[in-house]
Structure formats: C-alpha cells, structure tokens
Amino acid sequence: LTLSTAISEREFSEKRAVAAKEYYAAETEAAKLVNEMQTVLEDGKDIYVFAEQHGIAVKDSIFRFQKTIDDGQELDVVLRLSDHLEIESWQVVTTADWTPDDSLTVWDGSF
C-alpha cells in the first residue's frame, strides 16, 4: 500500500510540474509581449501597427491576445490603452470541449 501510494504521488507531482512549467512558459511569453507593447508606447511608436504585426486583436483601445498553455488551456490577456497599458484581464481559459460522463445510470426517482 505504501509503495502504490508513493508511486501515485510521484506521478501526480510529475504531472503538476509539467503543468506549472507550461503555465509559466505561457505567462513569460505574455509578459514579454506586454513589455514590448509598453516600450513601443514609451518610444512614441504606433502601438496599433505593432499589435497588427504581432497578431493582437484590437477594438478601440482594448488589446487582446492568447498564449497557449497546453492542448486544453490558454492564457487570455486583455489590455486597455489610456496614457499607458492597463491589464484588464489575465486569466487561464479552457479551450477543450467538455463532455459530461453519462456512462453511469443514475436513478431519477421514478419507477
């Protein structure tokens, strides 16, 4: 029992380590892009041209982009432009389709 628990915990820890590595890689990419955008602003260059060149969606003064974490998640970043860039949203969103497990027949209360 102790051996099987140790193996299970090791496998779980390895999965968590991979997930953390993937998340922080996506977050690092997003932070670099935001820093580049801020530099473009500070240098007086056109941030809308920069956004177009880097595949960033723009609507009015809102900038939005995603960085892939893994097959089922991505980091979604939304920025607002005023006199500087403000982070409106920085969150992990699920991209995989969710399918309920209906393989177990559950009694609905009727006979």
PDB file of all heavy atoms in Angstrom, residues 76-102:
ATOM      1  N   ASP A  76      -5.423  34.060 -21.507  1.00  0.00           N
ATOM      2  CA  ASP A  76      -6.125  35.119 -22.227  1.00  0.00           C
ATOM      3  C   ASP A  76      -5.790  36.453 -21.560  1.00  0.00           C
ATOM      4  O   ASP A  76      -6.019  36.622 -20.365  1.00  0.00           O
ATOM      5  CB  ASP A  76      -7.633  34.851 -22.181  1.00  0.00           C
ATOM      6  CG  ASP A  76      -8.419  35.870 -22.965  1.00  0.00           C
ATOM      7  OD1 ASP A  76      -8.151  36.006 -24.170  1.00  0.00           O
ATOM      8  OD2 ASP A  76      -9.305  36.525 -22.379  1.00  0.00           O
ATOM      9  N   VAL A  77      -5.243  37.381 -22.335  1.00  0.00           N
ATOM     10  CA  VAL A  77      -4.809  38.667 -21.797  1.00  0.00           C
ATOM     11  C   VAL A  77      -5.583  39.782 -22.497  1.00  0.00           C
ATOM     12  O   VAL A  77      -5.648  39.830 -23.719  1.00  0.00           O
ATOM     13  CB  VAL A  77      -3.288  38.867 -22.002  1.00  0.00           C
ATOM     14  CG1 VAL A  77      -2.844  40.222 -21.482  1.00  0.00           C
ATOM     15  CG2 VAL A  77      -2.511  37.744 -21.333  1.00  0.00           C
ATOM     16  N   VAL A  78      -6.155  40.677 -21.680  1.00  0.00           N
ATOM     17  CA  VAL A  78      -6.868  41.837 -22.195  1.00  0.00           C
ATOM     18  C   VAL A  78      -6.250  43.083 -21.578  1.00  0.00           C
ATOM     19  O   VAL A  78      -6.118  43.175 -20.353  1.00  0.00           O
ATOM     20  CB  VAL A  78      -8.377  41.771 -21.857  1.00  0.00           C
ATOM     21  CG1 VAL A  78      -9.097  43.001 -22.397  1.00  0.00           C
ATOM     22  CG2 VAL A  78      -8.999  40.494 -22.396  1.00  0.00           C
ATOM     23  N   LEU A  79      -5.867  44.019 -22.442  1.00  0.00           N
ATOM     24  CA  LEU A  79      -5.233  45.267 -22.003  1.00  0.00           C
ATOM     25  C   LEU A  79      -6.055  46.452 -22.480  1.00  0.00           C
ATOM     26  O   LEU A  79      -6.658  46.413 -23.543  1.00  0.00           O
ATOM     27  CB  LEU A  79      -3.821  45.374 -22.590  1.00  0.00           C
ATOM     28  CG  LEU A  79      -2.892  44.183 -22.365  1.00  0.00           C
ATOM     29  CD1 LEU A  79      -1.665  44.299 -23.256  1.00  0.00           C
ATOM     30  CD2 LEU A  79      -2.495  44.097 -20.914  1.00  0.00           C
ATOM     31  N   ARG A  80      -6.044  47.512 -21.681  1.00  0.00           N
ATOM     32  CA  ARG A  80      -6.717  48.765 -22.058  1.00  0.00           C
ATOM     33  C   ARG A  80      -5.642  49.839 -22.208  1.00  0.00           C
ATOM     34  O   ARG A  80      -4.766  49.970 -21.357  1.00  0.00           O
ATOM     35  CB  ARG A  80      -7.728  49.178 -21.013  1.00  0.00           C
ATOM     36  CG  ARG A  80      -8.425  50.504 -21.326  1.00  0.00           C
ATOM     37  CD  ARG A  80      -9.421  50.908 -20.258  1.00  0.00           C
ATOM     38  NE  ARG A  80     -10.456  49.912 -20.075  1.00  0.00           N
ATOM     39  CZ  ARG A  80     -11.560  49.786 -20.826  1.00  0.00           C
ATOM     40  NH1 ARG A  80     -11.736  50.607 -21.841  1.00  0.00           N
ATOM     41  NH2 ARG A  80     -12.455  48.858 -20.582  1.00  0.00           N
ATOM     42  N   LEU A  81      -5.767  50.603 -23.268  1.00  0.00           N
ATOM     43  CA  LEU A  81      -4.820  51.689 -23.519  1.00  0.00           C
ATOM     44  C   LEU A  81      -5.415  53.000 -23.039  1.00  0.00           C
ATOM     45  O   LEU A  81      -6.484  53.410 -23.480  1.00  0.00           O
ATOM     46  CB  LEU A  81      -4.493  51.771 -25.015  1.00  0.00           C
ATOM     47  CG  LEU A  81      -3.567  52.904 -25.439  1.00  0.00           C
ATOM     48  CD1 LEU A  81      -2.196  52.735 -24.793  1.00  0.00           C
ATOM     49  CD2 LEU A  81      -3.451  52.941 -26.947  1.00  0.00           C
ATOM     50  N   SER A  82      -4.728  53.638 -22.101  1.00  0.00           N
ATOM     51  CA  SER A  82      -5.036  55.017 -21.719  1.00  0.00           C
ATOM     52  C   SER A  82      -3.744  55.779 -21.964  1.00  0.00           C
ATOM     53  O   SER A  82      -3.218  55.721 -23.060  1.00  0.00           O
ATOM     54  CB  SER A  82      -5.524  55.088 -20.268  1.00  0.00           C
ATOM     55  OG  SER A  82      -4.592  54.480 -19.387  1.00  0.00           O
ATOM     56  N   ASP A  83      -3.188  56.429 -20.979  1.00  0.00           N
ATOM     57  CA  ASP A  83      -1.869  57.024 -21.172  1.00  0.00           C
ATOM     58  C   ASP A  83      -0.773  55.968 -21.045  1.00  0.00           C
ATOM     59  O   ASP A  83       0.384  56.208 -21.352  1.00  0.00           O
ATOM     60  CB  ASP A  83      -1.632  58.178 -20.193  1.00  0.00           C
ATOM     61  CG  ASP A  83      -1.810  57.753 -18.748  1.00  0.00           C
ATOM     62  OD1 ASP A  83      -2.541  56.775 -18.506  1.00  0.00           O
ATOM     63  OD2 ASP A  83      -1.233  58.407 -17.858  1.00  0.00           O
ATOM     64  N   HIS A  84      -1.151  54.789 -20.571  1.00  0.00           N
ATOM     65  CA  HIS A  84      -0.266  53.619 -20.504  1.00  0.00           C
ATOM     66  C   HIS A  84      -1.145  52.370 -20.643  1.00  0.00           C
ATOM     67  O   HIS A  84      -2.361  52.482 -20.737  1.00  0.00           O
ATOM     68  CB  HIS A  84       0.527  53.599 -19.184  1.00  0.00           C
ATOM     69  CG  HIS A  84      -0.334  53.499 -17.971  1.00  0.00           C
ATOM     70  ND1 HIS A  84      -1.028  54.567 -17.462  1.00  0.00           N
ATOM     71  CD2 HIS A  84      -0.634  52.447 -17.180  1.00  0.00           C
ATOM     72  CE1 HIS A  84      -1.712  54.188 -16.405  1.00  0.00           C
ATOM     73  NE2 HIS A  84      -1.502  52.901 -16.218  1.00  0.00           N
ATOM     74  N   LEU A  85      -0.543  51.210 -20.674  1.00  0.00           N
ATOM     75  CA  LEU A  85      -1.314  49.972 -20.782  1.00  0.00           C
ATOM     76  C   LEU A  85      -1.771  49.527 -19.397  1.00  0.00           C
ATOM     77  O   LEU A  85      -0.975  49.481 -18.462  1.00  0.00           O
ATOM     78  CB  LEU A  85      -0.469  48.868 -21.412  1.00  0.00           C
ATOM     79  CG  LEU A  85      -0.214  48.996 -22.899  1.00  0.00           C
ATOM     80  CD1 LEU A  85       0.793  47.943 -23.342  1.00  0.00           C
ATOM     81  CD2 LEU A  85      -1.494  48.850 -23.685  1.00  0.00           C
ATOM     82  N   GLU A  86      -3.026  49.192 -19.275  1.00  0.00           N
ATOM     83  CA  GLU A  86      -3.582  48.671 -18.033  1.00  0.00           C
ATOM     84  C   GLU A  86      -4.082  47.254 -18.282  1.00  0.00           C
ATOM     85  O   GLU A  86      -4.740  46.996 -19.287  1.00  0.00           O
ATOM     86  CB  GLU A  86      -4.750  49.531 -17.560  1.00  0.00           C
ATOM     87  CG  GLU A  86      -4.379  50.952 -17.246  1.00  0.00           C
ATOM     88  CD  GLU A  86      -5.589  51.802 -16.905  1.00  0.00           C
ATOM     89  OE1 GLU A  86      -6.691  51.248 -16.685  1.00  0.00           O
ATOM     90  OE2 GLU A  86      -5.429  53.033 -16.852  1.00  0.00           O
ATOM     91  N   ILE A  87      -3.767  46.357 -17.375  1.00  0.00           N
ATOM     92  CA  ILE A  87      -4.241  44.984 -17.509  1.00  0.00           C
ATOM     93  C   ILE A  87      -5.690  44.920 -17.045  1.00  0.00           C
ATOM     94  O   ILE A  87      -6.007  45.214 -15.898  1.00  0.00           O
ATOM     95  CB  ILE A  87      -3.377  44.013 -16.688  1.00  0.00           C
ATOM     96  CG1 ILE A  87      -1.943  44.019 -17.209  1.00  0.00           C
ATOM     97  CG2 ILE A  87      -3.962  42.599 -16.724  1.00  0.00           C
ATOM     98  CD1 ILE A  87      -0.967  43.236 -16.358  1.00  0.00           C
ATOM     99  N   GLU A  88      -6.567  44.568 -17.965  1.00  0.00           N
ATOM    100  CA  GLU A  88      -7.983  44.386 -17.641  1.00  0.00           C
ATOM    101  C   GLU A  88      -8.249  42.959 -17.172  1.00  0.00           C
ATOM    102  O   GLU A  88      -9.041  42.730 -16.281  1.00  0.00           O
ATOM    103  CB  GLU A  88      -8.853  44.676 -18.869  1.00  0.00           C
ATOM    104  CG  GLU A  88      -8.900  46.119 -19.261  1.00  0.00           C
ATOM    105  CD  GLU A  88      -9.766  46.946 -18.348  1.00  0.00           C
ATOM    106  OE1 GLU A  88     -10.886  46.512 -18.030  1.00  0.00           O
ATOM    107  OE2 GLU A  88      -9.300  48.025 -17.933  1.00  0.00           O
ATOM    108  N   SER A  89      -7.564  42.018 -17.828  1.00  0.00           N
ATOM    109  CA  SER A  89      -7.799  40.604 -17.519  1.00  0.00           C
ATOM    110  C   SER A  89      -6.545  39.811 -17.867  1.00  0.00           C
ATOM    111  O   SER A  89      -5.902  40.064 -18.875  1.00  0.00           O
ATOM    112  CB  SER A  89      -8.983  40.101 -18.346  1.00  0.00           C
ATOM    113  OG  SER A  89      -9.134  38.719 -18.237  1.00  0.00           O
ATOM    114  N   TRP A  90      -6.230  38.845 -17.011  1.00  0.00           N
ATOM    115  CA  TRP A  90      -5.070  37.966 -17.205  1.00  0.00           C
ATOM    116  C   TRP A  90      -5.500  36.639 -16.609  1.00  0.00           C
ATOM    117  O   TRP A  90      -5.328  36.413 -15.417  1.00  0.00           O
ATOM    118  CB  TRP A  90      -3.862  38.551 -16.475  1.00  0.00           C
ATOM    119  CG  TRP A  90      -2.549  37.903 -16.726  1.00  0.00           C
ATOM    120  CD1 TRP A  90      -2.125  36.714 -16.228  1.00  0.00           C
ATOM    121  CD2 TRP A  90      -1.466  38.423 -17.493  1.00  0.00           C
ATOM    122  NE1 TRP A  90      -0.851  36.447 -16.642  1.00  0.00           N
ATOM    123  CE2 TRP A  90      -0.418  37.496 -17.428  1.00  0.00           C
ATOM    124  CE3 TRP A  90      -1.280  39.585 -18.237  1.00  0.00           C
ATOM    125  CZ2 TRP A  90       0.795  37.697 -18.075  1.00  0.00           C
ATOM    126  CZ3 TRP A  90      -0.082  39.768 -18.871  1.00  0.00           C
ATOM    127  CH2 TRP A  90       0.939  38.826 -18.783  1.00  0.00           C
ATOM    128  N   GLN A  91      -6.087  35.767 -17.436  1.00  0.00           N
ATOM    129  CA  GLN A  91      -6.671  34.557 -16.870  1.00  0.00           C
ATOM    130  C   GLN A  91      -6.502  33.335 -17.765  1.00  0.00           C
ATOM    131  O   GLN A  91      -6.363  33.452 -18.969  1.00  0.00           O
ATOM    132  CB  GLN A  91      -8.150  34.769 -16.574  1.00  0.00           C
ATOM    133  CG  GLN A  91      -8.994  35.030 -17.802  1.00  0.00           C
ATOM    134  CD  GLN A  91     -10.441  35.311 -17.449  1.00  0.00           C
ATOM    135  OE1 GLN A  91     -10.841  35.202 -16.310  1.00  0.00           O
ATOM    136  NE2 GLN A  91     -11.231  35.677 -18.445  1.00  0.00           N
ATOM    137  N   VAL A  92      -6.541  32.186 -17.122  1.00  0.00           N
ATOM    138  CA  VAL A  92      -6.483  30.917 -17.829  1.00  0.00           C
ATOM    139  C   VAL A  92      -7.910  30.548 -18.239  1.00  0.00           C
ATOM    140  O   VAL A  92      -8.829  30.609 -17.425  1.00  0.00           O
ATOM    141  CB  VAL A  92      -5.894  29.808 -16.924  1.00  0.00           C
ATOM    142  CG1 VAL A  92      -5.935  28.466 -17.625  1.00  0.00           C
ATOM    143  CG2 VAL A  92      -4.478  30.161 -16.507  1.00  0.00           C
ATOM    144  N   VAL A  93      -8.076  30.198 -19.509  1.00  0.00           N
ATOM    145  CA  VAL A  93      -9.381  29.770 -20.002  1.00  0.00           C
ATOM    146  C   VAL A  93      -9.252  28.383 -20.615  1.00  0.00           C
ATOM    147  O   VAL A  93      -8.211  28.021 -21.164  1.00  0.00           O
ATOM    148  CB  VAL A  93      -9.971  30.764 -21.035  1.00  0.00           C
ATOM    149  CG1 VAL A  93     -10.301  32.081 -20.381  1.00  0.00           C
ATOM    150  CG2 VAL A  93      -9.046  30.977 -22.202  1.00  0.00           C
ATOM    151  N   THR A  94     -10.307  27.623 -20.512  1.00  0.00           N
ATOM    152  CA  THR A  94     -10.339  26.274 -21.067  1.00  0.00           C
ATOM    153  C   THR A  94     -10.721  26.351 -22.534  1.00  0.00           C
ATOM    154  O   THR A  94     -11.685  27.020 -22.902  1.00  0.00           O
ATOM    155  CB  THR A  94     -11.361  25.408 -20.308  1.00  0.00           C
ATOM    156  OG1 THR A  94     -10.988  25.382 -18.935  1.00  0.00           O
ATOM    157  CG2 THR A  94     -11.411  23.995 -20.851  1.00  0.00           C
ATOM    158  N   THR A  95      -9.972  25.637 -23.369  1.00  0.00           N
ATOM    159  CA  THR A  95     -10.261  25.620 -24.800  1.00  0.00           C
ATOM    160  C   THR A  95     -10.804  24.267 -25.259  1.00  0.00           C
ATOM    161  O   THR A  95     -11.320  24.157 -26.358  1.00  0.00           O
ATOM    162  CB  THR A  95      -8.987  25.939 -25.606  1.00  0.00           C
ATOM    163  OG1 THR A  95      -7.967  25.006 -25.269  1.00  0.00           O
ATOM    164  CG2 THR A  95      -8.511  27.348 -25.321  1.00  0.00           C
ATOM    165  N   ALA A  96     -10.674  23.261 -24.410  1.00  0.00           N
ATOM    166  CA  ALA A  96     -11.144  21.923 -24.769  1.00  0.00           C
ATOM    167  C   ALA A  96     -12.657  21.838 -24.581  1.00  0.00           C
ATOM    168  O   ALA A  96     -13.226  22.501 -23.714  1.00  0.00           O
ATOM    169  CB  ALA A  96     -10.460  20.872 -23.894  1.00  0.00           C
ATOM    170  N   ASP A  97     -13.282  21.036 -25.405  1.00  0.00           N
ATOM    171  CA  ASP A  97     -14.715  20.804 -25.252  1.00  0.00           C
ATOM    172  C   ASP A  97     -14.956  19.906 -24.056  1.00  0.00           C
ATOM    173  O   ASP A  97     -14.258  18.909 -23.861  1.00  0.00           O
ATOM    174  CB  ASP A  97     -15.296  20.132 -26.505  1.00  0.00           C
ATOM    175  CG  ASP A  97     -15.298  21.071 -27.701  1.00  0.00           C
ATOM    176  OD1 ASP A  97     -15.403  22.294 -27.486  1.00  0.00           O
ATOM    177  OD2 ASP A  97     -15.182  20.574 -28.840  1.00  0.00           O
ATOM    178  N   TRP A  98     -15.951  20.268 -23.260  1.00  0.00           N
ATOM    179  CA  TRP A  98     -16.292  19.472 -22.101  1.00  0.00           C
ATOM    180  C   TRP A  98     -17.408  18.510 -22.488  1.00  0.00           C
ATOM    181  O   TRP A  98     -18.405  18.894 -23.093  1.00  0.00           O
ATOM    182  CB  TRP A  98     -16.757  20.363 -20.948  1.00  0.00           C
ATOM    183  CG  TRP A  98     -17.124  19.582 -19.737  1.00  0.00           C
ATOM    184  CD1 TRP A  98     -16.267  19.001 -18.862  1.00  0.00           C
ATOM    185  CD2 TRP A  98     -18.434  19.282 -19.272  1.00  0.00           C
ATOM    186  NE1 TRP A  98     -16.960  18.355 -17.865  1.00  0.00           N
ATOM    187  CE2 TRP A  98     -18.302  18.515 -18.095  1.00  0.00           C
ATOM    188  CE3 TRP A  98     -19.716  19.568 -19.727  1.00  0.00           C
ATOM    189  CZ2 TRP A  98     -19.387  18.044 -17.372  1.00  0.00           C
ATOM    190  CZ3 TRP A  98     -20.792  19.104 -19.003  1.00  0.00           C
ATOM    191  CH2 TRP A  98     -20.624  18.346 -17.848  1.00  0.00           C
ATOM    192  N   THR A  99     -17.221  17.249 -22.169  1.00  0.00           N
ATOM    193  CA  THR A  99     -18.231  16.233 -22.431  1.00  0.00           C
ATOM    194  C   THR A  99     -18.570  15.566 -21.117  1.00  0.00           C
ATOM    195  O   THR A  99     -17.692  15.015 -20.454  1.00  0.00           O
ATOM    196  CB  THR A  99     -17.704  15.155 -23.387  1.00  0.00           C
ATOM    197  OG1 THR A  99     -16.765  15.708 -24.289  1.00  0.00           O
ATOM    198  CG2 THR A  99     -18.822  14.563 -24.185  1.00  0.00           C
ATOM    199  N   PRO A 100     -19.832  15.625 -20.730  1.00  0.00           N
ATOM    200  CA  PRO A 100     -20.199  15.002 -19.456  1.00  0.00           C
ATOM    201  C   PRO A 100     -20.074  13.484 -19.532  1.00  0.00           C
ATOM    202  O   PRO A 100     -20.274  12.879 -20.589  1.00  0.00           O
ATOM    203  CB  PRO A 100     -21.651  15.421 -19.252  1.00  0.00           C
ATOM    204  CG  PRO A 100     -22.165  15.716 -20.620  1.00  0.00           C
ATOM    205  CD  PRO A 100     -20.980  16.210 -21.407  1.00  0.00           C
ATOM    206  N   ASP A 101     -19.739  12.889 -18.417  1.00  0.00           N
ATOM    207  CA  ASP A 101     -19.654  11.429 -18.324  1.00  0.00           C
ATOM    208  C   ASP A 101     -21.031  10.918 -17.922  1.00  0.00           C
ATOM    209  O   ASP A 101     -21.452  11.057 -16.786  1.00  0.00           O
ATOM    210  CB  ASP A 101     -18.617  11.021 -17.280  1.00  0.00           C
ATOM    211  CG  ASP A 101     -18.501   9.509 -17.140  1.00  0.00           C
ATOM    212  OD1 ASP A 101     -19.116   8.788 -17.958  1.00  0.00           O
ATOM    213  OD2 ASP A 101     -17.808   9.064 -16.220  1.00  0.00           O
ATOM    214  N   ASP A 102     -21.746  10.362 -18.894  1.00  0.00           N
ATOM    215  CA  ASP A 102     -23.085   9.838 -18.593  1.00  0.00           C
ATOM    216  C   ASP A 102     -23.100   8.316 -18.677  1.00  0.00           C
ATOM    217  O   ASP A 102     -24.140   7.700 -18.907  1.00  0.00           O
ATOM    218  CB  ASP A 102     -24.129  10.452 -19.529  1.00  0.00           C
ATOM    219  CG  ASP A 102     -23.792  10.252 -21.000  1.00  0.00           C
ATOM    220  OD1 ASP A 102     -22.751   9.632 -21.298  1.00  0.00           O
ATOM    221  OD2 ASP A 102     -24.575  10.714 -21.844  1.00  0.00           O
TER     222      ASP A 102
END
